[in-house]
């Protein structure tokens, strides 16, 4: 695997861009600027070689008592072992792992999102710009904020458009496009100034992940990366970790951690989380490792499971 990928910071006065079939300037941007942007972004594109052959690292399955009729598709990690699983329509449950014995997952509901498209990405904790809370992304790129700490068991977490919290209403997604995976978080940028960052993969662009940052009210492209060959068509999951890294995970168990500041590969591994009878859903960075969410098929229903594994650095 290459240790570096080309990374790019746009000029502060750059126009706003959208992600559709490819990264392209808005209709008001002149042709010569568009050509320059295309050349710049092409120079950023990184293709990662085939994975080195080796055994997948074993994971640890954590016993969790989940709510009934619960088939989550998203996972978000907090601090000190906290993780939350959510359905695309806003029913969730949170548990703390690693405390010995079976963890109890307490349910909650998200309000204020029933009129929006299904959720595909979630960030939990300080990366939302506050001490706690959720920052969510819908399939069409809408940004949703659920501020404050998680409610008590069976409680309701009030959510609303990110514009009510000083953030843009959506990611730079072209009209009519749909996202396969996305994540957003407020992270340190140049000069350690906090900025909203986003990573996303669009339907029809198999294996391509685009990274953006907000500056002066516009989305500026930071770069692109490709999921390794052999995994490009697989389901992927994106999550920001540790205030400056991007975690890319696939349903085959491959995970890669990239540093946003220079694109360096911090660590990568194959995790033994995929097998017959299981449907992998997503992953997030939990403490020093990765938490994978998968569904286990039984004769009657699908049941959630959480498997954690390390990433050798």
């Amino acid at each position: 695997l290459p240790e570096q990928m080309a990374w790019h910071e746009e000029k502060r006065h750059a126009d706003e861009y959208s992600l559709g079939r490819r990264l392209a300037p808005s209709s008001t941007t002149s042709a010569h600027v568009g050509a320059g942007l295309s050349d710049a972004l092409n120079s950023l594109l990184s293709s990662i070689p085939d994975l080195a052959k080796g055994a997948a690292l074993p994971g640890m399955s954590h016993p969790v008592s989940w709510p009934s009729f619960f088939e989550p598709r998203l996972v978000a990690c907090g601090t000190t072992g906290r993780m939350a699983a959510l359905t695309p329509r806003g029913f969730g449950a949170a548990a703390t792992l690693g405390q010995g014995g079976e963890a109890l997952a307490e349910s909650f509901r998200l309000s204020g999102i029933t009129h929006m498209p299904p959720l595909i990405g979630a960030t939990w904790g300080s990366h939302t710009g506050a001490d706690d809370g959720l920052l969510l992304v819908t399939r069409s790129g809408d940004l949703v904020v659920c501020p404050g700490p998680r409610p008590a068991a069976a409680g309701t977490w009030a959510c609303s458009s990110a514009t009510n919290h000083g953030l843009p209403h959506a990611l730079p997604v072209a009209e009519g496009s749909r996202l396969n995976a996305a994540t957003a978080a407020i992270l340190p940028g140049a000069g350690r100034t906090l900025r909203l960052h986003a990573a996303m993969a669009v339907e029809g662009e198999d294996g391509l992940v685009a990274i953006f940052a907000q500056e002066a009210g516009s989305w500026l492209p930071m770069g692109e990366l490709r999921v390794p060959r052999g995994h490009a068509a697989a389901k992927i999951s994106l999550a920001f970790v540790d205030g400056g890294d991007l975690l890319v995970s696939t349903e085959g168990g491959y995970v890669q951690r990239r540093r946003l500041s220079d694109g360096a590969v911090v660590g990568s591994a194959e995790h033994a989380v995929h097998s017959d009878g299981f449907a992998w859903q997503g992953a997030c960075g939990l403490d020093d490792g990765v938490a994978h969410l998968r569904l286990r098929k039984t004769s009657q229903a699908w049941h959630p499971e959480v498997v954690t594994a390390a990433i050798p650095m």
Side-chain angles (χ1 to χ4, degrees), residues 14-17 24-35 37:
D15 206 343
E16 188 169 353
Y17 297 91
S26 63
S27 59
T28 59
T29 308
S30 64
H32 73 277
V33 174
L37 175 66

Side-chain angles (χ1 to χ4, degrees), residues 51-119:
L51 299 173
K53 303 299 183 182
L57 296 178
M60 176 184 295
S61 181
H62 294 262
V64 179
S65 176
W66 298 100
S68 301
F69 308 108
F70 185 48
E71 297 184 12
R73 299 294 194 273
L74 295 80
V75 61
C77 292
T79 57
T80 60
R82 298 186 306 160
M83 57 80 57
L86 301 101
T87 69
R89 290 299 179 184
F91 183 75
T96 301
L97 307 180
Q99 295 189 328
E102 184 179 62
L104 175 63
E106 296 183 338
S107 66
F108 58 87
R109 303 172 186 84
L110 304 182
S111 66
I113 66 168
T114 55
H115 62 291
M116 296 182 177
L119 303 173

Side-chain angles (χ1 to χ4, degrees), residues 202-270:
V202 176
E203 286 186 357
E205 297 284 356
D206 288 343
L208 180 65
V209 176
I211 302 106
F212 288 84
Q214 267 272 313
E215 187 169 334
S218 295
W219 285 108
L220 304 181
M222 289 183 65
E224 297 175 345
L225 63 87
R226 286 195 179 275
V227 178
R229 290 191 293 272
H231 295 277
K235 181 176 181 178
I236 68 171
S237 173
L238 303 170
F240 289 115
V241 295
D242 286 352
D245 295 344
L246 175 64
L247 183 71
V248 181
S249 311
T250 74
E251 63 182 334
Y254 178 72
V255 295
Q256 185 184 81
R257 183 166 166 171
R258 305 289 289 263
R259 194 162 54 224
L260 288 180
S261 60
D262 58 8
V265 176
V266 178
S268 63
E270 288 242 31

Side-chain angles (χ1 to χ4, degrees), residues 184-195:
I186 297 176
L187 306 169
R192 306 303 295 174
T193 301
L194 292 177
R195 293 194 296 169

